[in-house]
Amino acid sequence: MSTDARSTPTSHSTPRPGPPFDLVLFGGTGDLAMRKLLPALMRRYMDGWITPGSRVLALARTRHTTEAYRALAQAACRQHLGADFREDRWDGFAALLSYAPLDATASADYAGLATLLGARPGVPRLFFLSTAPDLFAAICRELAAAGIVTPESRIMLEKPLGEDAASARRINETVGAIAGERQIYRIDHYLGKETVQNLLALRFGNALFEPLWRRGQVRHVQITVAEQLGVESRGEFYDRTGALRDMVQNHLLQLLCILAMEPPATSAADAVRDEKLKVLRALRPIGDAEALIKTVRGQYRPGVVGASRAGGYLEEPGVAGDSRTETFVALKAEIDTWRWAGVPFYLRTGKRLHEHVAEIVVTFEQVPHSIFEGPFSSQLPNRLVIRLQPDECITLRILAKSPGEAMRLKPVDLALDLGESFKGRPLEAYERLLGDAILGNLTLFMRRDEVDAAWNWIDPIRAAWDADEQGPRPYAAGSWGPAASSALIARDGFAWYDEL
Ligand code: NAP
């Protein structure tokens, strides 16, 4: 972290080509495949990381030829890579892609899949299940029956991993029946973000922060993931899910784990995941009456987001007219460990909020005694702001003397701008995660016991809400959520970062 003008940008190391692989993409025509996965693969191909001999086989029910599928993929890559799309590299990338129609529930279709894949000993075989989770059981059963799951196979799963502890258990058991835990890659794409990995580097690559990273030094922590978008075309799915399950159970709790975990002995997958699990298990349960004090849920009403009018949640297509699904959650989490006892972690996420932003704010204790006068003499604590969206940067706010005769302090930001500090292009989340799965590196994927522990903490909150007659509090689209969210944090004498 430096504001030193003399510091020179450091080059990203040139990527060495990765090993050849076979990627079988269930749901190959879907939104995730077209918007994220294929563009991510093309980027890695353009970087020279994906080597000839690798194959991507897309599957879905729609009857496309490989040529027609490549045309769809090209349009998607062109759209989502924008200026980075290189026409001259398309043919080479397209040659890796093929398509086969397959109904995931039809046993007969899997014989053809086995023939297409053939035997490639030593080549990692990845099955990316980019379909609705209710197809996971059929896909796993049929893959196993067709004898396609080899010891080199890996199964990649997207969220949602269930809707509660019981359904998550069923999914994990289904997948666990055909593959060992070390073959299962559960994605939380927030973990693939460069800034999240930089948080690990910041914490465990520098001696500076670790002594401060605890009660007595940290006053409180905020994690905000705010979206301006509404539910878009996912109204039906979202109405069954809500913000607690869609965002808090996975993304926000994973960020909390990275932030709060003890230093792992190594960066090996299980060393890191063991420490994350301990955080999840140390979360103080929130249930019954406590849930109504320590959590706030909201649902958006019509309003103005940016410069545009936005309708309310209840008017969204696919949403029940009397829905009680929350589109906003704010809560106070507490971690019962020696390191974090007494340090509140405020989590907040929602749709149709004022800004599109994801950030973590670590607020440190104030100085015990100020020797300076003036407005910022002592009230302004140091803050570390880790921003994940829309841009990725890490900022440390300190107080410095402002020029002039008087000894007046003003806040100044020391900013680590990743784009400026390093030459080259950081990997986007899915590029990173696909690459790690191909390499067999599980560190940035969730282990089954983490998923279970997260649901075990979430389920009592959900149950308390279901038993509460009040339902979610309304908030205007374009605001920062219901007023009760500000009250939640104000009760402890703090304010959300955007309210300061
Ligand atoms: P989607 O757009 O609805 O795509 C579903 C895909 O599954 C399509 O390719 C569909 O193609 C295929 N499919 C449906 N039924 C099938 C069957 N019986 N046999 C074979 N293929 C079948 O869904 P998505 O948005 O891409 O999401 C995929 C998964 O990722 C879901 O679990 C979702 O929750 C998760 N996810 C998505 C996003 C995102 O940004 N989209 C983000 C996070 C997680 P056909 O109709 O041609 O069969």
Side-chain angles (χ1 to χ4, degrees):
M1 184 172 297
S2 167
T3 52
D4 184 346
R6 291 166 304 172
S7 62
T8 46
T10 316
S11 226
H12 282 279
S13 53
T14 314
R16 274 183 298 168
F21 62 89
D22 283 343
L23 172 62
V24 180
L25 188 50
F26 285 89
T29 56
D31 176 70
L32 184 69
M34 290 293 164
R35 216 160 41 82
K36 295 287 182 189
L37 306 181
L38 291 169
L41 288 166
M42 183 169 180
R43 274 192 197 279
R44 300 230 73 180
Y45 175 79
M46 291 190 294
D47 280 352
W49 191 83
I50 293 185
T51 38
S54 300
R55 303 187 299 182
V56 179
L57 172 59
L59 307 169
R61 289 168 305 180
T62 309
R63 306 202 78 76
H64 293 299
T65 60
T66 286
E67 284 316 306
Y69 182 75
R70 286 177 181 166
L72 288 176
Q74 185 181 23
C77 288
R78 204 180 265 139
Q79 180 186 349
H80 297 293
L81 295 179
D84 293 341
F85 180 83
R86 283 182 52 188
E87 297 287 349
D88 61 325
R89 303 301 305 278
W90 172 255
D91 286 346
F93 178 63
L96 309 180
L97 302 181
S98 55
Y99 181 84
L102 173 140
D103 182 344
T105 60
S107 310
D109 288 4
Y110 287 78
L113 178 58
T115 311
L116 280 174
L117 287 173
R120 299 227 292 165
V123 174
R125 180 176 282 184
L126 288 87
F127 296 101
F128 196 124
L129 310 195
S130 183
T131 66
D134 56 13
L135 288 175
F136 290 178
I139 294 173
C140 289
R141 190 180 56 240
E142 299 302 341
L143 284 177
I148 306 176
V149 185
T150 59
E152 293 95 4
S153 292
R154 289 153 205 174
I155 316 279
M156 300 186 73
L157 302 173
E158 254 293 352
K159 71 161 201 184
L161 286 168
E163 56 186 34
D164 56 16
S167 51
R169 195 177 316 118
R170 283 196 294 278
I171 291 177
N172 283 322
E173 278 167 6
T174 301
V175 182
I178 65 160
E181 180 61 32
R182 297 199 65 76
Q183 293 174 278
I184 302 173
Y185 291 69
R186 298 180 190 83
I187 295 177
D188 186 315
H189 72 268
Y190 273 59
L191 295 182
K193 286 182 181 288
E194 193 78 357
T195 326
V196 173
Q197 292 153 59
N198 248 304
L199 180 54
L200 289 170
L202 194 77
R203 283 197 61 195
F204 306 125
N206 299 285
L208 187 64
F209 289 102
E210 200 47 30
L212 304 176
W213 214 257
R214 61 192 65 246
R215 71 191 301 269
Q217 310 295 333
V218 172
R219 189 70 201 87
H220 62 95
V221 177
Q222 300 179 13
I223 303 176
T224 295
V225 179
E227 295 174 83
Q228 286 189 319
L229 292 176
V231 294
E232 308 301 298
S233 57
R234 297 166 73 223
E236 207 182 314
F237 160 79
Y238 196 86
D239 207 34
R240 282 184 274 117
T241 310
L244 185 71
R245 292 175 173 133
D246 191 43
M247 297 296 291
V248 181
Q249 186 272 343
N250 37 67
H251 304 318
L252 277 84
L253 285 186
Q254 284 293 318
L255 294 178
L256 175 98
C257 287
I258 297 281
L259 210 79
M261 70 182 183
E262 293 297 318
T266 69
S267 62
D270 278 337
V272 173
R273 301 192 303 178
D274 285 347
E275 297 306 335
K276 282 162 60 195
L277 178 64
K278 286 181 204 163
V279 174
L280 291 165
R281 289 187 172 159
L283 280 170
R284 187 178 300 174
I286 301 179
D288 302 328
E290 280 248 289
L292 305 183
I293 299 166
K294 291 187 179 170
T295 71
V296 172
R297 58 193 161 133
Q299 192 184 72
Y300 61 83
R301 297 287 179 263
V304 177
V305 183
S308 313
R309 282 208 57 75
Y313 178 69
L314 298 177
E315 299 146 34
E316 299 278 12
V319 170
D322 58 352
S323 170
R324 285 162 55 95
T325 299
E326 78 286 353
T327 59
F328 175 94
V329 180
L331 60 82
K332 175 180 173 179
E334 291 158 285
I335 303 171
D336 287 333
T337 60
W338 275 44
R339 185 186 285 265
W340 293 118
V343 179
F345 286 71
Y346 301 101
L347 276 47
R348 179 176 60 158
T349 184
K351 291 197 171 288
R352 287 275 185 245
L353 293 181
H354 185 70
E355 223 181 301
H356 167 57
V357 66
E359 68 190 3
I360 300 167
V361 181
V362 179
T363 301
F364 294 92
E365 293 284 3
Q366 294 176 358
V367 294
H369 165 69
S370 176
I371 60 168
F372 304 111
E373 292 177 355
F376 297 118
S377 59
S378 64
Q379 308 94 319
L380 209 66
N382 298 129
R383 282 205 171 84
L384 184 69
V385 180
I386 301 137
R387 185 178 266 241
L388 314 171
Q389 273 172 357
D391 46 337
E392 301 200 23
C393 72
I394 300 178
T395 308
L396 180 63
R397 173 158 292 189
I398 59 162
L399 289 183
K401 179 185 171 299
S402 70
E405 262 180 52
M407 189 65 187
R408 298 242 179 245
L409 303 191
K410 281 218 160 157
V412 187
D413 287 343
L414 297 180
L416 172 66
D417 184 320
L418 299 169
E420 275 191 14
S421 302
F422 296 97
K423 274 194 226 150
R425 187 181 68 79
L427 295 182
E428 288 180 2
Y430 280 100
E431 292 177 62
R432 170 76 199 216
L433 295 172
L434 283 162
D436 278 6
I438 290 162
L439 292 172
N441 182 358
L442 280 155
T443 305
L444 298 178
F445 297 87
M446 293 180 293
R447 206 168 57 191
R448 176 178 176 168
D449 46 11
E450 288 180 73
V451 177
D452 290 342
W455 279 121
N456 287 340
W457 190 72
I458 291 290
D459 281 356
I461 301 176
R462 183 82 254 165
W465 286 358
D466 288 345
D468 173 37
E469 284 183 359
Q470 190 185 12
R473 293 163 192 264
Y475 64 94
S479 69
W480 274 109
S485 157
S486 304
L488 170 85
I489 187 166
R491 274 202 297 274
D492 295 338
F494 309 127
W496 292 107
Y497 187 51
D498 53 84
E499 293 173 341
L500 293 171

